[in-house]
Amino acid sequence: MNFIDCHCHMAADEFLQDIDEVVEQSRKAGVVALVSVTEHEHEFERMIALSGRYSGFVLPCFGIHPIQSDADCYRSVTMQDLEPALPMFEKYKDKLVAIGEIGLDFTPWLASTLEQREEQQRVFHMQLKIAQKLDLPVNVHSRSAGRQTISFLKEHGIQKVLLHNFAGRLSAALKGVKAGYYFSFPPAVTRNNQREKIIRQIPLENICLETDSPSLGPNKEERNIPENVRISCQYIADVKGLSPETVCEITSKNAMCLFPKICENLHS
């Protein structure tokens, strides 16, 4: 089986010490591509370096996450977080496979005020415009804002979308399906049955695989790694009553449809 991890964080600090080993393990497990996102501007150059080091395998995305961190303190994003990154999108536009990780996060203790949420929407909107200008798909975060995120994407005419680790209501997800959006689920879904109903109802033709490495693995206390994409595949197969081979085949086709530059890299 040839797996595609459509959402991971290979430029994260957690992979600094053993990235070669992690990449090699992923390849041995049957992973053929890692769509790797960023959260902060300071990860951009590291992401490009990794994509050069593992050419055709680590595929770079640029994005400013709706939640930022300052000395281990988490806060809602501001335009000041995005502005220094803007020249980088243009500089590396030919290398990017998507814009991400971007989106909305209305977790009450992180974005409790209307002003914070409106600022998130401004940052999100500006990055959506970059994606449209560069004709790239978007890799989207939507914690505590599933309905709002899908509505926002539709309002702005965004068509090429991956909603990663979607945990919103089924009714919102089905609106996303109708809009042609894709959804992906990390290995953490195996810890409980919260996503079972959504996974069962979303057509396999709208599902991709992800790990969100180094987060959201099968064991909360352990670092997640891309080879665990097999766990997501098996869980989706079990929920839908399909073989993991079928889930792998269809989700990989979906990934190549959503992220066409994957095909270019696989055949280069």
Side-chain angles (χ1 to χ4, degrees):
M1 291 187 285
N2 294 324
F3 301 99
I4 297 174
D5 185 347
C6 287
H7 185 103
C8 56
H9 298 256
M10 302 315 295
D13 291 345
E14 288 87 342
F15 290 124
L16 282 175
Q17 301 303 316
D18 63 346
I19 184 69
D20 289 334
E21 181 180 344
V22 170
V23 166
E24 184 60 24
Q25 288 176 340
S26 302
R27 285 177 161 149
K28 287 181 178 178
V31 181
V32 296
L34 303 176
V35 178
S36 186
V37 299
T38 57
E39 296 186 352
H40 321 282
E41 183 267 338
H42 71 260
E43 293 180 314
F44 284 15
E45 291 285 3
R46 188 189 301 174
M47 187 72 264
I48 292 298
L50 288 173
S51 70
R53 185 171 172 182
Y54 309 106
S55 180
F57 187 73
V58 175
L59 308 177
C61 310
F62 281 0
I64 302 299
H65 195 280
I67 300 299
Q68 298 288 294
S69 59
D70 292 323
D72 296 324
C73 177
Y74 293 95
R75 60 172 176 79
S76 190
V77 72
T78 67
M79 287 298 292
Q80 285 68 41
D81 298 307
L82 174 61
E83 285 167 357
L86 293 176
M88 303 284 279
F89 290 97
E90 181 65 25
K91 180 178 179 180
Y92 292 110
K93 62 184 179 182
D94 294 333
K95 297 183 181 294
L96 301 179
V97 300
I99 302 300
E101 178 174 0
I102 63 175
L104 301 175
D105 191 316
F106 292 168
T107 304
W109 56 90
L110 294 172
S112 58
T113 68
L114 177 61
E115 289 77 11
Q116 288 173 319
R117 295 181 177 194
E118 288 178 341
E119 184 80 342
Q120 278 194 25
Q121 290 174 332
R122 283 191 284 272
V123 173
F124 189 24
H125 185 210
M126 182 165 285
Q127 293 183 96
L128 292 177
K129 289 196 292 186
I130 292 171
Q132 288 176 311
K133 178 183 177 183
L134 300 180
D135 191 26
L136 290 173
V138 289
N139 212 316
V140 177
H141 174 101
S142 58
R143 187 166 55 187
S144 299
R147 176 180 54 81
Q148 296 95 326
T149 301
I150 289 173
S151 294
F152 198 85
L153 289 163
K154 291 174 66 179
E155 283 173 21
H156 291 91
I158 309 300
Q159 297 179 330
K160 297 178 288 185
V161 176
L162 177 71
L163 288 145
H164 110 91
N165 188 32
F166 189 79
R169 293 181 181 275
L170 176 59
S171 57
L174 293 178
K175 288 180 180 178
V177 168
K178 189 174 181 180
Y181 299 164
Y182 294 86
F183 297 77
S184 59
F185 303 93
V189 295
T190 61
R191 295 185 209 157
N192 55 57
N193 294 322
Q194 288 181 345
R195 311 293 168 78
E196 186 175 333
K197 184 178 180 181
I198 286 181
I199 291 172
R200 185 179 293 113
Q201 294 296 322
I202 293 176
L204 185 57
E205 290 71 22
N206 292 83
I207 293 178
C208 293
L209 301 179
E210 70 155 293
T211 61
D212 201 28
S213 301
S215 301
L216 299 183
N219 301 305
K220 193 173 183 180
E221 301 79 16
E222 297 177 6
R223 180 185 67 166
N224 193 15
I225 51 179
E227 68 179 274
N228 287 337
V229 74
R230 296 176 298 174
I231 297 173
S232 297
C233 181
Q234 184 65 59
Y235 182 81
I236 292 167
D238 290 343
V239 168
K240 288 188 166 294
L242 300 169
S243 70
E245 290 82 5
T246 296
V247 172
C248 179
E249 179 184 0
I250 299 303
T251 56
S252 292
K253 286 181 179 177
N254 295 342
M256 289 186 281
C257 180
L258 176 61
F259 303 108
K261 287 190 177 181
I262 292 178
C263 301
E264 296 175 17
N265 282 278
L266 286 177
H267 298 119
S268 62

